[in-house]
Amino acid sequence: MKASMLAVAALAGGLAAFAHVGEAKAAGELTLCWAAWDPANALVELSKDFEKQTGTTMKFEFVPWPNFADRMLNELNSGGKLCDLLIGDSQWLGGSAENGYYVKLNEFFDKEGIKMSDFAPATVYAYSTWPKGTENYWALPAMGDANAWVYRKDWFARPEIQAEFKAKTGRDLAPPKTWDELKEVAEFFQGREIDGKKVYGAAIFTERASEGITMGATSALYSYGFKYENTPGKYDMQGAVNSPDAVKGLEMYKALYKCCTPPGYTDSYMGEGLDAFKSGQVAMMMNWFAFWPGMYKDENVGGEHIGFFVNPSEKVAASTLGGQGISVVANTDNMDGALAYIKWFAQPDVQKKWWQLGGYSCHLAVLNDPSFKDSQPFAADFLTAMGQVQDFWQEPSYASLLQAMQKRMHDYVVADQGTAQEALDKLIDDWTEVFQDDGKL
């Protein structure tokens, strides 16, 4: 099957029954679609203020992450009327803009005095613009996020563990700042007995079906110097995607998987990592900032038990971008209401409450507040990460591009097929075919 056909299949696959909602929306009703996770619950609470102020009835359609892309992209592709507002992944921007699924918001922003300069530049670039870096806005930055790490601060603080680590490595046990240090710490905890229980070094992303292993592997790849192109917008991937530094990064990710993950950890993403950490299996866990408020409140491993650190660097300070923008779906029957919600959500006071409730605001009025860094134990790390984020392709054919990377990463890291160099060389071949089918090469 050609890459372009794969993209169509990914967009249209298997969910026709979900695609069409026959009844037009009532004038005072809006449905907001997003993934089912902690920040979505915070948004429900926040949106009660919008309901009180406008008399609008807010409805929500939250889809579990493993099914989120298929459900929502199929809804858009099929012309369905379920969603008036959609908080969609950054990778969807190119296709949604070019296919007319999202409303271009420039004129509305100008009319209402909504300024993109009021939001963190990295989030505007990633969540709002297509083509990338232009002043063509298809979303308002809604949920800043990046891949980061949480660790068992209480384990790290034990004098006997500290002494043993210092004797073994010659340095103090602390949150790792490089990937070499990360692996060293993970190896130290792997198979160790703590409180009568065998524990493991780290929970990382290995999931094959959606995006998991790509989001995990790029956390290492970016830090070692991996780039998608030598020249932005030129699709000249040779020597960037498969550079010697990129090879080292992928080799490190595999080494961490092989040495230091729990048994059977072959197809794991957000939920499995949270389960491993909350059950006391691992010393460290890779996951998204979005989960940190809930983790900090956890009765068993939160509070004084827990600490956070930004993604380690090696040659480059880098974090894999998560997060989303909020868009108005072009097919809505309540355009005025949807735009009113965007206007309301963009207000600084609303953004401040969004952060307080557990969402991650991208508004500079929140992020630049002198009290922000101390407002949560992970707030300073969030600021650091959002200043160094890198994102996957946002091309209209992103589904095919992602499918290819998922396969190549999983085949090498988990299935133990070939070398890192071969995996990245083959990935360039895969991506070249996609861009050739798109007429871009």
Side-chain angles (χ1 to χ4, degrees):
M1 187 182 293
K2 288 290 184 183
S4 58
M5 293 172 65
L6 284 170
V8 172
L11 288 170
L15 291 155
F18 177 79
H20 295 287
V21 177
E23 296 182 6
K25 295 290 166 63
E29 180 181 305
L30 289 172
T31 297
L32 188 154
C33 299
W34 198 10
W37 59 336
D38 289 350
N41 299 328
L43 189 64
V44 172
E45 186 65 27
L46 181 71
S47 297
K48 291 178 181 177
D49 291 343
F50 178 76
E51 290 183 304
K52 291 177 184 176
Q53 292 173 26
T54 65
T56 303
T57 299
M58 291 297 299
K59 294 187 175 181
F60 301 91
E61 182 71 21
F62 298 146
V63 182
W65 272 110
N67 306 318
F68 179 53
D70 280 348
R71 288 274 300 264
M72 291 298 111
L73 290 173
N74 181 72
E75 172 69 16
L76 294 173
N77 195 54
S78 303
K81 289 184 174 290
L82 175 69
C83 310
D84 301 295
L85 295 155
L86 174 58
I87 301 182
D89 268 347
S90 56
Q91 296 98 324
W92 305 356
L93 269 180
S96 295
E98 294 191 8
N99 292 318
Y101 299 151
Y102 289 169
V103 173
K104 188 176 180 181
L105 295 171
N106 290 60
E107 184 177 339
F108 173 71
F109 286 167
D110 290 343
K111 176 186 174 184
E112 299 295 342
I114 298 171
K115 299 177 181 177
M116 288 293 95
S117 58
D118 288 341
F119 293 81
T123 68
V124 174
Y125 178 86
Y127 304 149
S128 301
T129 66
W130 186 262
K132 299 316 301 172
T134 66
E135 294 184 359
N136 295 294
Y137 304 124
W138 305 90
L140 184 84
M143 173 72 190
D145 204 1
N147 205 8
W149 296 79
V150 63
Y151 71 102
R152 287 298 299 264
K153 186 177 180 179
D154 53 346
W155 295 357
F156 278 50
R158 294 188 182 188
E160 69 277 13
I161 288 179
Q162 289 183 334
E164 185 179 344
F165 185 83
K166 183 69 174 281
K168 186 173 183 178
T169 67
R171 65 182 184 89
D172 292 330
L173 178 59
K177 297 185 181 302
T178 69
W179 277 81
D180 286 328
E181 290 180 359
L182 177 69
K183 183 171 178 285
E184 189 174 56
V185 172
E187 287 175 323
F188 175 78
F189 279 101
Q190 184 75 4
R192 179 171 297 273
E193 186 173 296
I194 296 180
D195 297 334
K197 182 177 179 179
K198 187 176 182 179
V199 304
Y200 303 94
I204 63 175
F205 299 159
T206 60
E207 181 260 2
R208 169 69 177 86
S210 62
E211 64 171 18
I213 197 166
T214 296
M215 298 298 104
T218 51
S219 293
L221 287 165
Y222 295 149
S223 297
Y224 276 80
F226 169 96
K227 295 287 184 185
Y228 291 96
E229 306 160 289
N230 291 296
T231 311
K234 297 295 185 183
Y235 309 99
D236 50 350
M237 298 173 283
Q238 195 66 235
V241 170
N242 60 350
S243 69
D245 287 333
V247 169
K248 290 178 184 177
L250 185 52
E251 288 173 341
M252 171 58 79
Y253 196 73
K254 179 173 181 173
L256 184 63
Y257 166 72
K258 290 291 186 181
C259 77
C260 305
T261 54
Y265 212 73
T266 60
D267 191 32
S268 302
Y269 195 18
M270 296 177 271
E272 290 79 8
L274 292 169
D275 289 344
F277 193 86
K278 289 181 178 181
S279 62
Q281 292 183 56
V282 292
M284 299 178 289
M285 175 186 64
M286 160 190 285
N287 223 313
W288 303 103
F289 273 99
F291 294 110
W292 289 177
M295 289 297 305
Y296 189 67
K297 295 175 184 176
D298 188 271
E299 293 182 359
N300 296 318
V301 298
E304 63 186 12
H305 303 290
I306 200 172
F308 308 91
F309 60 95
V310 74
N311 190 53
S313 61
E314 201 65 32
K315 293 189 68 174
V316 179
S319 299
T320 297
L321 182 77
Q324 301 86 26
I326 182 169
S327 298
V328 175
V329 178
N331 209 28
T332 178
D333 287 328
N334 191 355
M335 183 68 69
D336 289 345
L339 291 171
Y341 188 93
I342 297 288
K343 179 182 177 180
W344 169 81
F345 187 72
Q347 297 175 85
D349 287 348
V350 174
Q351 288 291 304
K352 290 176 182 177
K353 187 170 182 180
W354 176 223
W355 167 248
Q356 293 166 1
L357 289 172
Y360 280 79
S361 174
C362 304
H363 202 291
L364 294 177
V366 179
L367 303 179
N368 290 344
D369 188 305
S371 66
F372 180 81
K373 289 184 178 181
D374 297 322
S375 63
Q376 293 284 2
F378 40 80
D381 284 343
F382 176 66
L383 281 182
T384 299
M386 293 310 294
Q388 63 189 36
V389 286
Q390 298 187 38
D391 196 17
F392 190 74
W393 297 107
Q394 292 188 10
E395 297 286 327
S397 293
Y398 104 92
S400 297
L401 299 166
L402 181 59
Q403 241 179 5
M405 191 163 188
Q406 283 287 102
K407 172 177 170 52
R408 297 305 178 192
M409 296 300 97
H410 201 272
D411 283 354
Y412 169 67
V413 173
V414 177
D416 211 18
Q417 297 177 15
T419 67
Q421 184 72 62
E422 290 168 346
L424 295 171
D425 288 345
K426 290 176 181 176
L427 184 57
I428 291 178
D429 292 340
D430 297 336
W431 285 351
T432 297
E433 184 178 356
V434 175
F435 291 128
Q436 284 175 342
D437 285 352
D438 289 347
K440 295 182 176 180
L441 282 176

